[in-house]
């Protein structure tokens, strides 16, 4: 069961400057972290991109935000896109901080700083000094590669290199259809003001499915929602979302075959525009509730 959040490359299109664009992306990463998303996917919206805040900028800032603080300098160095990285809010991901990162059997990211002889490597994983570890059989690593470290004790240091996915939020770039077509996509939801209103009854139906199958939730950009990005008539979405749900699985018919349903999670919004970072909190919070 996985949770994926999809945002467009035009996410920062309304930002007045790089500082504001960076801050906005920080809160997108924070929302995804708070609600334990496994993947934060940036899908292309070339027509909506403006100026310097394109998909490359968006992905770089999000990847930096998702990098554990103790690895940022070594992993990124100095980059123009990260000029205002200091305004990013700390994610404090449970996979990287607190009891889960220091207790027995906890995992954290590391960077291979040196590949030595006899199957040993030196790894920077945020401890006082890089540590020397054995490379597991059939696992090949290179200098500069990020790896997963399992720490069983800090004093004295006891740790091992494990052949597992990196802990924490994964930032990816792929097109919308590919993200929706993943085998582990789960319930595919389009967040839009033109979708069906999220009610208590509808949430009760969804909760069981998202807990069992996971979910993929897609969002639009400022002043350019999913209907505009996909070239779908808003009236078609409203008509589809208004149909009676006759399906046994509780997923409603939709105007776009890539989604299982279009969902309005702020049905009586008091502002003309709900920003993408606000929509993430408003949408992921109720969808994270359990039966």
């Amino acid at each position: 069961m996985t949770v994926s959040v999809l945002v467009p490359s035009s996410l920062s299109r309304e930002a007045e400057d790089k500082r504001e664009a960076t801050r906005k992306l920080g809160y997108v990463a924070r929302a995804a972290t708070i609600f334990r998303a496994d993947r934060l996917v940036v899908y292309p919206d070339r027509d909506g991109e403006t100026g310097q805040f394109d998909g490359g900028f968006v992905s770089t800032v999000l990847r930096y935000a998702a990098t554990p603080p103790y690895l940022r300098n070594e992993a990124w160095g100095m980059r123009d896109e990260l000029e205002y990285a200091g305004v990013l809010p700390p994610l404090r991901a449970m996979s990287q901080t607190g009891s889960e990162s220091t207790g027995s059997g906890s995992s954290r990211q590391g960077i291979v700083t040196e590949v030595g002889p006899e199957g040993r490597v030196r790894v920077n994983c945020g401890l006082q000094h890089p540590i020397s570890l054995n490379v597991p059989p059939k696992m090949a690593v290179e200098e500069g590669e990020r790896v997963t470290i399992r720490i069983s004790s800090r004093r004295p240091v006891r740790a091992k290199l494990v052949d597992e996915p990196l802990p924490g939020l994964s930032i990816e770039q792929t097109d919308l259809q590919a993200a929706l077509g993943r085998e582990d996509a789960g319930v595919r939801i389009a967040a839009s003001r033109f979708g069906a209103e999220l009610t208590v009854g509808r949430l009760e139906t969804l909760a069981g499915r998202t807990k069992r199958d996971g979910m993929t939730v897609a969002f639009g950009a400022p002043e350019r929602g999913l209907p505009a990005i996909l070239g779908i008539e808003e009236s078609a979405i409203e008509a589809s979302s208004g149909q009676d749900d006759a399906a046994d699985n509780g997923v409603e018919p939709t105007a776009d075959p890539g989604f299982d349903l279009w969902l309005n999670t702020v049905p009586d919004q008091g502002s003309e525009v709900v920003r993408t970072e606000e929509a993430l909190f408003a949408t992921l919070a109720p969808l994270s509730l359990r039966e």
Side-chain angles (χ1 to χ4, degrees):
M1 191 277 286
T2 61
V3 175
S4 297
V5 176
L6 316 183
V7 295
S9 60
S10 56
L11 185 59
S12 298
R13 66 192 309 268
E14 94 294 7
E16 295 182 358
D17 53 35
K18 190 185 296 184
R19 181 187 181 92
E20 175 60 20
T22 302
R23 183 204 61 79
K24 178 186 183 76
L25 293 171
Y27 281 103
V28 168
R30 184 154 173 79
T33 301
I34 287 173
F35 297 105
R36 292 187 177 270
D38 300 284
R39 288 186 294 267
L40 180 52
V41 178
V42 180
Y43 66 86
D45 177 28
R46 304 280 186 258
D47 294 339
E49 293 178 6
T50 58
Q52 61 181 323
F53 308 135
D54 58 9
F57 172 83
V58 170
S59 295
T60 296
V61 174
L62 289 176
R63 286 193 171 102
Y64 180 88
T67 301
Y70 55 83
L71 293 181
R72 286 177 176 174
N73 286 340
E74 186 165 343
W76 292 97
M78 300 293 291
R79 298 189 58 161
D80 183 62
E81 301 98 316
L82 303 174
E83 180 180 3
Y84 290 101
V87 305
L88 290 169
L91 301 189
R92 296 188 60 80
M94 290 296 291
S95 60
Q96 300 165 2
T97 64
S99 59
E100 289 192 10
S101 68
T102 59
S104 177
S106 63
S107 297
R108 64 197 281 123
Q109 290 188 39
I111 291 182
V112 177
T113 60
E114 181 183 346
V115 177
E118 300 179 354
R120 294 189 69 83
V121 294
R122 290 185 67 81
V123 181
N124 174 9
C125 57
L127 301 180
Q128 188 172 4
H129 303 287
I131 57 178
S132 178
L133 299 171
N134 287 316
V135 179
K138 299 182 180 180
M139 180 180 176
V141 297
E142 299 177 354
E143 186 173 326
E145 182 178 348
R146 293 199 203 183
V147 291
T148 300
I149 306 298
R150 183 74 55 80
I151 297 178
S152 56
S153 171
R154 282 198 164 203
R155 294 183 181 178
V157 174
R158 293 191 181 93
K160 62 180 180 179
L161 190 63
V162 292
D163 192 4
E164 296 176 356
L166 294 176
L169 180 65
S170 169
I171 310 297
E172 303 176 10
Q173 280 184 288
T174 189
D175 64 79
L176 193 60
Q177 293 301 321
L180 294 174
R182 291 180 59 110
E183 290 185 0
D184 60 352
V187 184
R188 297 163 298 180
I189 300 169
S192 172
R193 65 184 302 178
F194 302 102
E197 293 186 358
L198 180 60
T199 62
V200 173
R202 185 170 283 116
L203 180 59
E204 185 177 4
T205 301
L206 276 172
R209 283 210 66 196
T210 57
K211 183 178 181 180
R212 182 182 72 246
D213 301 332
M215 62 182 175
T216 296
V217 189
F219 298 85
E223 300 178 354
R224 186 173 169 81
L226 280 170
I229 291 174
L230 297 173
I232 298 174
E233 291 292 334
E234 297 166 355
S235 58
I237 297 172
E238 290 176 322
S240 174
S241 298
Q243 296 178 34
D244 291 332
D245 184 11
D248 293 335
N249 60 13
V251 174
E252 303 188 10
T254 174
D256 181 84
F259 293 104
D260 294 312
L261 75 161
W262 290 73
L263 196 61
N264 179 3
T265 55
V266 192
D268 191 24
Q269 64 188 62
S271 174
E272 290 183 8
V273 177
V274 175
R275 297 174 179 176
T276 306
E277 63 270 32
E278 296 168 338
L280 260 74
F281 282 101
T283 302
L284 297 177
L287 293 179
S288 297
L289 296 176
R290 297 293 177 251
E291 292 177 297

